[in-house]
Amino acid sequence: MSLRLATRRLTASASPLSASVQTAAVTRVDQRRQKWSLNPFKGWGSGSRDKGADDVTSELNDPKKRQQFLQRNARGGKIEDNIFQDEIEQSSTSQENVQSQPDEKTKEALAMVSDPDPRGRMRWQRKKVMQMVRKNGVVTPEEKIKMTERQLLHKSEWLPTSTKKLVMLARQIAGKPLDEAITQMKWSKKRMAIEVKYYLEEARDLAIARNGMGLGKLNGEILDKPVKIRNKDGKWMEISDPSRLYVAQSWVGRGPWRGKEIDYKGRGRMGLIQHPATSFTIVLKEERTRIREYNESIAKKEAKGPWIHLPNRRINGQRPYYSW
């Protein structure tokens, strides 16, 4: 009867050895793959097994007792009856060395993502500090607007339509609140209205999730008294939520030709039909921007003063004939 043992362990060779070597080989055979299993070779040849071993085996079938047995044998970090004990010790020592020394590769990978060009970043920071020193800490109105007001620029993919068709939808939603623009595209009969509606919803989600726009109700920014303003179209409107999104700008762009097709004509002639592609771009802003623009226009009119029909100024380039 042949017996297969782990090749990693010392086994008895076929050559005649001394009694001490043979006894050492037999003792090395007494290794088990499972930490809670008993010696499967114990009692071979005698026709009987150890009764206490069966009791211990039945006890180790219980998960709680098995966990206690493992903890008790692994207190010193070593389980004597494991044939892979040397690999476990090597892995534990390597883990300790890894924990003691920080992973430089991970740090380099994170640095490449967070700071890909450190010299360029330092030059940019130095340049900004120099600008602040030159300006003596003065912030321009444009910088103040960027600090207090947010916007989102969103561009679509190339759509299978022409600029002549898509520009009508872009003009239809310009200046309208975002919810109203989505409703307009929902009930429009144009074929590209579905695509425009999709990109409007995508821009809305990006503005809320990425830029934190349109969260006036959650942040408690609702006005106690609605503000009445006049938009660029000359229509009056009331605004109670200054963070409400609206389509500030919308335009289309000509793209590459998607393909060509033969246009058959009479008398054996033919033409060429080129299928165009067009992109759709929108700029979303909050209503606080429109309120500021209206207040600035009113202040500009008041600062201008009354209009004088014939101001008292010199006449330059006077001619004896009409200029047209």
Side-chain angles (χ1 to χ4, degrees), residues 8-9 32-35 70 73-74 76-96:
R8 318 172 50 253
R9 296 299 179 178
R32 294 184 291 277
R33 291 184 178 273
Q34 295 181 355
K35 295 183 288 297
L70 294 177
N73 291 346
K78 182 177 179 180
I79 300 177
E80 298 178 354
D81 55 351
N82 195 344
I83 62 174
F84 304 108
Q85 182 60 31
D86 52 352
E87 296 182 0
I88 294 174
E89 293 176 355
Q90 292 178 3
S91 62
S92 62
T93 53
S94 61
Q95 288 180 0
E96 291 178 358

Side-chain angles (χ1 to χ4, degrees), residues 235-246:
K235 298 180 181 179
W236 290 93
M237 57 187 306
E238 292 185 354
I239 299 174
S240 59
D241 185 6
S243 66
R244 186 180 65 175
L245 301 176
Y246 77 97

Side-chain angles (χ1 to χ4, degrees), residues 147-186:
M147 292 168 60
T148 56
E149 300 175 5
R150 291 165 288 192
Q151 65 178 13
L152 177 72
L153 175 68
H154 189 57
K155 183 180 179 181
S156 69
E157 301 291 339
W158 298 116
L159 303 177
T161 185
S162 62
T163 56
K164 185 177 180 181
K165 297 177 182 178
L166 193 59
V167 73
M168 305 304 293
L169 298 176
R171 292 176 180 175
Q172 183 179 353
I173 64 174
K176 287 185 172 58
L178 185 57
D179 297 337
E180 184 178 349
I182 293 174
T183 305
Q184 290 284 338
M185 295 297 101
K186 180 180 180 180

Side-chain angles (χ1 to χ4, degrees), residues 27-38:
T27 55
R28 297 292 293 178
V29 167
D30 190 13
Q31 304 293 334
R32 294 184 291 277
R33 291 184 178 273
Q34 295 181 355
K35 295 183 288 297
W36 52 81
S37 63
L38 298 176

Side-chain angles (χ1 to χ4, degrees), residues 165-209:
K165 297 177 182 178
L166 193 59
V167 73
M168 305 304 293
L169 298 176
R171 292 176 180 175
Q172 183 179 353
I173 64 174
K176 287 185 172 58
L178 185 57
D179 297 337
E180 184 178 349
I182 293 174
T183 305
Q184 290 284 338
M185 295 297 101
K186 180 180 180 180
W187 302 105
S188 178
K189 296 181 179 180
K190 300 292 184 180
R191 184 168 62 91
M192 284 293 108
I194 300 176
E195 299 292 336
V196 175
K197 175 178 174 293
Y198 170 78
Y199 284 106
L200 286 174
E201 293 176 348
E202 187 177 23
R204 176 195 60 191
D205 298 341
L206 290 175
I208 295 173

Side-chain angles (χ1 to χ4, degrees), residues 56-299:
V56 176
T57 306
S58 60
E59 290 180 358
L60 292 179
N61 291 331
D62 188 4
K64 294 183 179 179
K65 295 182 179 180
R66 186 187 309 151
Q67 189 68 20
Q68 295 176 0
F69 174 77
L70 294 177
Q71 293 178 359
R72 183 173 62 255
N73 291 346
R75 284 176 183 175
K78 182 177 179 180
I79 300 177
E80 298 178 354
D81 55 351
N82 195 344
I83 62 174
F84 304 108
Q85 182 60 31
D86 52 352
E87 296 182 0
I88 294 174
E89 293 176 355
Q90 292 178 3
S91 62
S92 62
T93 53
S94 61
Q95 288 180 0
E96 291 178 358
N97 295 334
V98 168
Q99 292 178 359
S100 60
Q101 298 178 359
D103 193 0
E104 300 295 338
K105 294 183 179 180
T106 305
K107 287 187 176 181
E108 292 177 0
L110 293 175
M112 289 297 296
V113 175
S114 59
D115 193 7
D117 188 7
R119 292 185 178 180
R121 176 182 55 79
M122 293 175 63
R123 287 195 300 268
W124 181 81
Q125 291 178 350
R126 192 181 300 111
K127 180 180 177 181
K128 291 301 178 182
V129 171
M130 293 170 65
Q131 289 179 359
M132 291 177 61
V133 171
R134 290 195 187 109
K135 295 179 181 178
N136 197 14
V138 178
V139 182
T140 60
E142 291 78 9
E143 294 176 349
K144 289 182 180 179
I145 291 173
K146 290 181 180 180
M147 292 168 60
T148 56
E149 300 175 5
R150 291 165 288 192
Q151 65 178 13
L152 177 72
L153 175 68
H154 189 57
K155 183 180 179 181
S156 69
E157 301 291 339
W158 298 116
L159 303 177
T161 185
S162 62
T163 56
K164 185 177 180 181
K165 297 177 182 178
L166 193 59
V167 73
M168 305 304 293
L169 298 176
R171 292 176 180 175
Q172 183 179 353
I173 64 174
K176 287 185 172 58
L178 185 57
D179 297 337
E180 184 178 349
I182 293 174
T183 305
Q184 290 284 338
M185 295 297 101
K186 180 180 180 180
W187 302 105
S188 178
K189 296 181 179 180
K190 300 292 184 180
R191 184 168 62 91
M192 284 293 108
I194 300 176
E195 299 292 336
V196 175
K197 175 178 174 293
Y198 170 78
Y199 284 106
L200 286 174
E201 293 176 348
E202 187 177 23
R204 176 195 60 191
D205 298 341
L206 290 175
I208 295 173
R210 185 186 299 173
N211 297 353
M213 302 167 61
L215 301 177
K217 294 182 179 179
L218 297 177
N219 299 332
E221 299 177 356
I222 304 299
L223 300 177
D224 298 335
K225 186 177 180 181
V227 179
K228 193 174 183 180
I229 65 172
R230 196 170 189 175
N231 57 11
K232 295 181 179 180
D233 297 336
K235 298 180 181 179
W236 290 93
M237 57 187 306
E238 292 185 354
I239 299 174
S240 59
D241 185 6
S243 66
R244 186 180 65 175
L245 301 176
Y246 77 97
V247 183
Q249 301 178 30
S250 63
W251 67 87
V252 298
R254 189 185 301 276
W257 299 108
R258 294 182 292 111
K260 298 179 181 180
E261 185 181 354
I262 297 176
D263 184 17
Y264 297 97
K265 301 181 182 297
R267 298 183 180 182
R269 299 181 181 181
M270 68 178 185
L272 193 64
I273 300 176
Q274 293 181 331
H275 299 285
T278 311
S279 65
F280 173 73
T281 309
I282 57 174
V283 177
L284 297 183
K285 294 184 180 180
E286 295 179 337
E287 292 290 353
R288 56 171 54 92
T289 302
R290 192 144 53 177
I291 295 173
R292 177 187 57 80
E293 291 176 353
Y294 176 74
N295 295 334
E296 288 180 355
S297 63
I298 296 297

